[in-house]
Amino acid sequence: MESIEKQPMGILVGSAAGKPKQRVLWVDYNYFCRLSTISDYNKRQLKARRRFQFNRNGDINLLSVNNQDRAKYGISPDNEMIITKIEILKNQDAAVRLERENESFDVEMVDRVHDQMFIALNEFPVYRNRINEAYNLPSERCTLFARRWAVWAWVLPNYGHFKYCLEIYHNAYSRIFPEHFAGENGKISFKNFFNSCEANGIENTIIDKRAVVKTQKRRPAFQMAFLETLYVQDRKIIVADGYRKLVKACAEKDEKPMSEANVKIVFREFKNNAELFGKRYGEGALQKQMPYLSLLPTEHRNTQWQIDGWTLPFWGDKFQRYTLYIIRDNHSRKIVAANVAVSENSTLIAETLEDAVRNTGVFCGELVADKHSFHRTEIAARLRLETEKMGVVWTVTMNAQRNQLAERYNQYLDAICKDFDGYLGKNITATGKDARPSPETLTETAKPRNWKEVDEIKAIAAYAVIEFNRTPLKPLSGLSPNEKYDASESKRAFMMDEAERVNLFRPVQEYKVNRGQITIKVGMVKHEFQLPAELITRYNNQLVTVAYEDLTQGIYISDFKTKDELGFVAP
């Protein structure tokens, strides 16, 4: 071993171990050869014969070269001059390396590649769902692998084999995942990872199998389905009876049954399953098992809207009941939009949402609603897709407590409606919590002369909404919903002008003219429009562009190819 110290430009100075008086001057062998006039043959011979003193790194001790050999190989006898020349060579080499690094790739191209990778990164929820379904991974690992998968799904088809491509892509990738492929061999690791993705697929390369949590032995699907059927039946079933029936069923299938202890665990899991619990004990019991949510009001108006329907407490013509569909602001409790219809249908919901946007000039940050067939319609799917692109959160839940504001504040509307004749709500003849109208009252209101016209019911609903919005409420510290709303700002909502609203709710779409007419379906309602005779011959079985504000009024059509306006078509 030599006791040495590192000098600038890689020159080692020290003394040989065991020989403190013998000075050494270690010089990199390649620099020694560059300083001399030694031939390639003598270079090989010099190193093979070990004529001079070498250390374990292959450096040569310049002080072990005598003056005769120095003259032979063209080495200056002045050691200080040699050190100076080596420093010059080192500086030149460093400058060349720096120049090569700067010329290795275009910085602007790295920025462009990074931007594309970052855009691809936003698609990671799709891959996270796939990983979460296929592997038992911790949440943070699942998200990390999904983010990498999203980026590599873009890298693989876009990676080229041009000059400096590896440096460009590795540099852009390192900006997003600085811990991945770091270090001196990062580029080599990046390339090896790329080759593995091409050969084995992205999923097999991305997912680190060491991170997968080992799960218990898989339960047979037949036995799980059989136990689930036993659990949801009306009759009470205990573990012992369930196990005995399972053994009998498995004997017929020639299958080994799970143990009784395992059946007990499965039944316990079924009890914690909200869906199965509801099937066994009913929706009422399920609601009591759902977690209680005490929602605090949002900090700003229009941050969250809660939507719900409420049956108006009046008879219409031929015992018809009407639904008041309400959109309520969480912050101020104000009803920002309301509509009346014979049922809580998809058309009613879409129109009320549009009214809310029209009245407020914004789309809320979060929309809370219960599960409804509306959410399975085409218009709802498009609305959700377009608004989620903006950043809106849609919360569709079975838990009535999740939209408790919409449920709880209907009692104020009920109290306002109580002042009108024909009221069918609570507390007419008694003050109990569950009191209902007396038989005599119901008999009187059921007479045809006491039925209300639809316009009268709509007028009562409009009055109830207006009256509620301007009534001081104790939960609002004595302010009315209108005052609370006007005192706030829409900081967590998305501004929407008239053109954006029309484009969102009344988009320009292409429809095919079939047998001379255009049919537009909204929910369960079909709107039919017959083209004029002169247009039928030109556009029958052809596509036309349709725009509308109100389908009940009519549509505007134009040529699909030339965009020429063709006019207005009434229903």
Side-chain angles (χ1 to χ4, degrees), residues 491-505:
K491 289 189 175 181
R492 299 293 185 270
F494 300 91
M495 304 300 294
M496 188 168 290
D497 57 25
E498 189 72 12
E500 292 172 329
R501 176 187 62 79
V502 172
N503 187 52
L504 179 63
F505 289 93

Side-chain angles (χ1 to χ4, degrees), residues 273-476:
N273 186 306
E275 183 179 358
L276 296 180
F277 189 88
K279 289 181 179 179
R280 179 174 174 83
Y281 298 104
E283 291 297 324
L286 173 61
Q287 288 296 331
K288 295 180 181 180
Q289 296 295 320
M290 298 290 277
Y292 178 75
L293 299 174
S294 180
L295 292 181
L296 296 176
T298 56
E299 187 177 357
H300 304 285
R301 69 184 185 189
N302 299 322
T303 299
Q304 181 192 87
W305 289 347
Q306 296 191 11
I307 59 180
D308 192 35
W310 178 60
T311 302
L312 287 161
F314 301 99
W315 286 125
D317 186 35
K318 297 179 181 179
F319 299 103
Q320 178 67 60
R321 298 295 290 268
Y322 291 87
T323 297
L324 174 64
Y325 199 73
I326 297 169
I327 299 182
R328 192 184 302 274
D329 174 49
N330 178 300
H331 172 74
S332 63
R333 304 333 193 236
K334 178 181 180 178
I335 298 175
V336 295
N339 269 318
V340 177
V342 294
S343 65
E344 194 174 324
N345 54 64
S346 300
T347 304
L348 173 68
I349 297 174
E351 290 178 352
T352 310
L353 270 174
E354 184 177 10
D355 287 345
V357 175
R358 183 187 290 109
N359 296 338
T360 62
V362 300
F363 203 101
C364 61
E366 180 187 11
L367 189 67
V368 180
D370 55 6
K371 284 196 172 182
H372 190 277
S373 59
F374 167 75
H375 299 288
R376 297 192 295 271
T377 62
E378 180 181 348
I379 185 173
R382 182 179 52 77
L383 273 175
R384 183 165 185 170
L385 177 64
E386 296 299 326
T387 53
E388 283 183 343
K389 289 179 181 178
M390 297 160 46
V392 176
V393 177
W394 284 61
T395 303
V396 181
T397 176
M398 291 178 58
N399 190 351
Q401 294 169 343
R402 184 66 178 88
N403 59 338
Q404 58 178 288
L405 293 181
E407 302 280 354
R408 181 180 299 171
Y409 280 81
N410 288 340
Q411 60 181 321
Y412 291 93
L413 299 174
D414 189 86
I416 296 172
C417 291
K418 187 177 179 180
D419 295 334
F420 293 89
D421 294 336
Y423 171 78
L424 300 172
K426 300 179 182 179
N427 306 336
I428 292 182
T429 59
T431 59
K433 178 179 179 182
D434 296 321
R436 292 294 184 270
S438 65
E440 294 79 12
T441 303
L442 290 176
T443 301
E444 181 64 24
T445 56
K447 294 179 180 180
R449 67 170 180 267
N450 293 322
W451 292 344
K452 295 188 179 299
E453 297 292 335
V454 60
D455 290 339
E456 185 179 0
I457 292 178
K458 288 183 177 180
I460 294 174
Y463 171 80
V465 170
I466 295 173
E467 190 67 18
F468 169 80
N469 283 341
R470 64 188 184 190
T471 300
L473 300 177
K474 185 177 180 180
L476 301 182

Side-chain angles (χ1 to χ4, degrees), residues 7-20:
Q7 294 294 330
M9 315 317 298
I11 302 170
L12 303 176
V13 181
S15 60
K19 301 177 182 179

